[in-house]
Amino acid sequence: MIRSGRKPSLAFPRVGLLLLLTGTIIAAYWGIGEAYLRFAGGDRTILLDSETTAAAVPGDFRIVSAVKRHSDDPLDGARMLGDDKLLFFSGEENKARTGISTLSLTDNTIEELVNSPGLFDGFASPDGTKLVYFVYNDKSSPTTVWYDLTDRRELARLDGGAGFCSTMLDDSRYIGLFKEGIRLFDMKTGENRIIGKWTEDLFRQGLLRKYSFYAKPFRLKVSPDSESVYLQVTDGRSSAIRFSALDGSESMQAALGDIYDFAPLNGGRLLVSGRINGSEGLFLISGERGDRIVRLKEGFLTNLAVDAAQKKIAYTVRSSEGRPVLSVAALDASKGLSAETTVYSDPGTITTLQWNGEGTTLVCVAQGLEGSEVYQFRFSP
């Protein structure tokens, strides 16, 4: 259940003065953006007063508005649809997935798009116009449904086709992991084919233990041009990332180490956070065989999110006290990170971190003990 954004009126005199003093102290400690979110209690739009904020240095990030929402139930599988909507799985009493809904960050309303008791996975197209989801209606093979988010109607159904770590390449094609490898499906034609094998290739090179119980696919991400995919496989101790071209022309190792997260860039380059060659940080991996490795930043980084123009990056970094800190920075693959800015201190366990198409809005969904917190930050152009 999403709590309403309406706040009860409070008598101001003594309590108000105390809160105002507390807010001023917090602002001095956390920074003005953090203070406004915490002091306002969330659940509404907070406009930051430019007169009370330090003048921005050219190139710095400046939050011009922020929204904080709370959900008593986890927003499972949340992804942005445009600037002000989240797509997420809905369920009954936080148990089984029964539908797919949207949450408006503008007015806090929820709209259910799909209702199916057998629903177990779903994912939207990059442009937010189409949806593919899987349902089990009985003990037979699953059904794959192609759905139009704009017209609110089914476009096609396919028997089978349910894979692990599935994601859409465009408005009609998706990829998923199966026992034999990465398979590409086209919902318009119903055709599918293998574009890369992970088990045989990896184990032949001896990167992971062949009979390890923990040797399994972990992440599957698509390149910005949707012409290749990157698969992370882990055995619980180390990880390997494999690159595969969608046309099946190439497959190779892209990275090896204790990998926390990664983000594909243009030109076959790869951002990787983790420990590589005994060094921990954020790395840029390039070269025809992934043999050029440059560390861009030292430290423990996770939740990498790069904007469409690949000029901005959001991530969480561990503070000196061990807290996760949500941060943003300007990204230059040849020079590294600059204008590093703390956006929020200790947001919780982040499950979604995503930029809008223009790179002006960042949405963060974090899981806490009492549900999910949703943060929407708008930055000055």
Side-chain angles (χ1 to χ4, degrees), residues 214-269:
Y214 296 100
K216 60 181 180 180
F218 186 57
R219 287 191 184 95
L220 184 65
K221 296 189 179 184
V222 182
S223 63
D225 61 5
S226 296
E227 294 298 328
S228 56
V229 295
Y230 293 84
L231 169 64
Q232 181 180 353
V233 180
T234 181
D235 67 352
R237 300 180 305 177
S238 61
S239 295
I241 297 179
R242 295 288 296 181
F243 162 87
S244 295
L246 259 62
D247 60 7
S249 62
E250 189 177 15
S251 179
M252 68 177 189
Q253 175 187 314
L256 178 65
D258 186 7
I259 297 170
Y260 311 148
D261 199 0
F262 70 93
L265 300 179
N266 290 333
R269 298 171 301 171

Side-chain angles (χ1 to χ4, degrees), residues 83-302:
D83 288 2
D84 300 299
K85 278 191 177 182
L86 282 180
L87 186 78
F88 69 98
F89 293 107
S90 49
E92 294 180 353
E93 298 180 358
N94 193 23
K95 292 182 180 179
R97 291 176 173 178
T98 58
I100 298 176
S101 303
T102 60
L103 165 65
S104 170
L105 298 179
T106 302
D107 57 16
N108 218 28
T109 57
I110 293 179
E111 179 184 5
E112 187 176 67
L113 307 178
V114 175
N115 188 299
S116 177
L119 177 72
F120 68 94
D121 201 3
F123 34 94
S125 60
D127 63 4
T129 63
K130 303 297 188 297
L131 175 71
V132 167
Y133 64 91
F134 306 137
V135 291
Y136 272 113
N137 295 319
D138 49 39
K139 294 184 179 180
S140 62
S141 63
T143 299
T144 300
V145 182
W146 186 29
Y147 185 87
D148 191 310
L149 288 167
T150 303
D151 296 336
R152 302 291 197 267
R153 65 186 181 91
E154 287 189 16
L155 297 175
R157 285 189 169 230
L158 174 70
D159 290 335
F164 177 61
C165 290
S166 298
T167 187
M168 292 195 76
L169 296 168
D170 48 39
D171 63 357
S172 64
R173 299 181 301 160
Y174 75 94
I175 56 174
L177 286 174
F178 293 80
K179 185 176 181 180
E180 68 273 30
I182 306 171
R183 189 173 286 274
L184 169 65
F185 288 83
D186 190 326
M187 294 302 296
K188 285 183 179 178
T189 64
E191 299 176 347
N192 71 87
R193 58 186 173 84
I194 290 289
I195 62 173
K197 296 183 178 181
W198 64 270
T199 51
E200 182 180 346
D201 289 347
L202 283 172
F203 294 148
R204 185 189 302 122
Q205 295 184 32
L207 298 180
L208 302 174
R209 294 168 292 169
K210 183 172 183 179
Y211 299 105
S212 169
F213 177 78
Y214 296 100
K216 60 181 180 180
F218 186 57
R219 287 191 184 95
L220 184 65
K221 296 189 179 184
V222 182
S223 63
D225 61 5
S226 296
E227 294 298 328
S228 56
V229 295
Y230 293 84
L231 169 64
Q232 181 180 353
V233 180
T234 181
D235 67 352
R237 300 180 305 177
S238 61
S239 295
I241 297 179
R242 295 288 296 181
F243 162 87
S244 295
L246 259 62
D247 60 7
S249 62
E250 189 177 15
S251 179
M252 68 177 189
Q253 175 187 314
L256 178 65
D258 186 7
I259 297 170
Y260 311 148
D261 199 0
F262 70 93
L265 300 179
N266 290 333
R269 298 171 301 171
L270 194 63
L271 281 178
V272 175
S273 67
R275 185 175 294 275
I276 297 178
N277 297 331
S279 177
E280 185 177 57
L282 177 68
F283 300 87
L284 175 67
I285 298 179
S286 58
E288 293 185 359
R289 311 304 299 179
D291 51 2
R292 178 173 169 76
I293 303 174
V294 178
R295 189 171 70 174
L296 303 180
K297 180 178 175 59
E298 182 181 2
F300 181 90
L301 284 78
T302 56

Side-chain angles (χ1 to χ4, degrees), residues 300-353:
F300 181 90
L301 284 78
T302 56
N303 304 113
L304 304 183
V306 178
D307 74 326
Q310 299 179 21
K311 294 182 179 180
K312 301 174 183 176
I313 183 172
Y315 53 91
T316 56
V317 61
R318 182 180 294 167
S319 69
S320 58
E321 295 83 15
R323 301 192 318 268
V325 177
L326 177 58
S327 305
V328 295
L331 174 65
D332 186 326
S334 61
K335 298 179 181 179
L337 306 186
S338 60
E340 296 180 69
T341 305
T342 295
V343 177
Y344 202 86
S345 177
D346 201 1
T349 302
I350 294 178
T351 56
T352 298
L353 189 60

